[in-house]
Amino acid sequence: MAPRFQDRASAGRELAGKLSAHAHDPHLLILALPRGGVPVGYEIARELRAPLDVLIVRKLGAPGSEELAMGAIASGGLRVLNKEVVSRLGISPEAIEQAAQREERELRRREIIYRGERPMPRIEGATVILADDGLATGATMRAAVRVLRLERPANIIVAVPVGAPDSLEELRAETDEVAFVDAPEPFYAIGAWYSNFIQTTDEEVRGLLADGRRLSETATRPGG
C-alpha cells in the first residue's frame, strides 16, 4: 500500500479538479472542518476563487456513553439532535442542555482562535462545499451536514480527497453531491494515504484563513 497524496495541500489541489463545474457559481462558499480540512479547503477555495471559512462541529455525547452521539452543535449556534438516541435512552432536556453548554464553550474557544469576532458567512441560498482531509466513519461530516441543513443552503457538497467507500455512499443520501479523488478498499485509515500527515496547527489554520480572505477580496474587485 503506497500513499496516494504527498500532503493535504497537494490532495486539495487534486480534489479541486473534481469540483471545477462549480467555479463560476457566484454563491459558492467553502467551509472546511478544522483543523486538517483547512489546507484542503484552502486549495479548493483558491482554485475556484471562492470564499473560505470554517465550520466547527462538536459532538454531544450521551450521558454515561460519551462516545454515542445524541446530537451535535456547530458554528453559528446551530444544533441538531438524534431523536432516536434521545428517546431510546430517555435523555432529559436538562441533560441535553448541560452537554450543549459544555461543548459550546469549547466551540466558542475555537471560533475565537480561528475566526476572531468575524461572524459566520451567510449560508442561506449558498452552494456550500464542506471540505475535510478524509472520511473514515463519516460521523463528524454527517453531523456537519445535518446542522448546516438547518441554515437552508441551496446545495451541500461534501469534498474529501480520500474516503471509505461505505461512508461516501452513506453521505450521498444526505447531500447534493459527494466529491472525492480516491475510495480505496480496504480503507485502513485516512493518514495511511498521505506521505505527510503531520497534524495541522492552529497557527497554520489562522494563516490559511487569512490568505483565503485576501484571495477572495482580490477576486471580487474589478479586474481581480
Side-chain angles (χ1 to χ4, degrees):
M1 182 186 71
R4 177 66 175 78
F5 308 104
Q6 175 60 36
D7 54 21
R8 292 178 178 87
S10 63
R13 288 191 290 272
E14 195 166 347
L15 180 59
K18 303 288 185 180
L19 296 158
S20 58
H22 301 286
H24 303 293
D25 186 341
H27 305 295
L28 187 62
L29 171 64
I30 315 301
L31 291 180
L33 302 188
R35 288 180 287 200
V38 176
V40 175
Y42 173 81
E43 297 298 335
I44 296 171
R46 185 169 69 168
E47 182 66 26
L48 303 187
R49 300 169 69 85
L52 171 68
D53 213 310
V54 289
L55 182 67
I56 304 169
V57 179
R58 299 290 297 175
K59 180 182 71 175
L60 300 180
S65 303
E66 297 299 325
E67 291 304 309
L68 178 62
M70 62 176 176
I73 60 173
S75 301
L78 304 178
R79 184 190 298 189
V80 64
L81 293 178
N82 186 327
K83 294 180 181 179
E84 190 276 331
V85 170
V86 171
S87 176
R88 175 162 52 87
L89 298 182
I91 301 171
S92 69
E94 291 77 15
I96 293 171
E97 193 59 34
Q98 287 176 3
Q101 289 180 6
R102 182 173 61 250
E103 294 301 334
E104 280 170 3
R105 286 194 291 272
E106 175 61 18
L107 187 149
R108 181 58 180 157
R109 186 189 71 82
R110 295 190 180 200
E111 284 189 324
I112 291 171
I113 291 173
Y114 299 145
R115 187 182 292 114
E117 295 302 322
R118 290 182 298 108
M120 273 288 288
R122 181 178 175 84
I123 293 173
E124 184 175 359
T127 296
V128 178
I129 295 178
L130 277 175
D132 205 354
D133 55 10
L135 197 73
T137 66
T140 300
M141 184 63 81
R142 281 195 297 275
V145 168
R146 289 169 185 172
V147 293
L148 191 63
R149 188 70 73 186
L150 300 175
E151 291 292 282
R152 300 194 298 272
N155 297 284
I156 297 177
I157 301 160
V158 165
V160 292
V162 63
D166 289 349
S167 296
L168 291 168
E169 189 61 34
E170 287 172 5
L171 275 166
R172 291 184 192 278
E174 297 193 40
T175 62
D176 299 284
E177 181 182 342
V178 176
F180 60 93
V181 177
D182 203 359
E185 184 68 66
F187 180 72
Y188 300 112
I190 295 171
W193 306 103
Y194 287 84
S195 296
N196 178 352
F197 200 63
I198 296 173
Q199 187 177 50
T200 305
T201 66
D202 288 337
E203 290 73 19
E204 289 172 322
V205 169
R206 287 197 296 264
L208 290 170
L209 291 174
D211 284 348
R213 288 195 298 274
R214 284 193 288 270
L215 289 172
S216 178
E217 289 166 0
T218 300
T220 55
R221 290 175 192 146

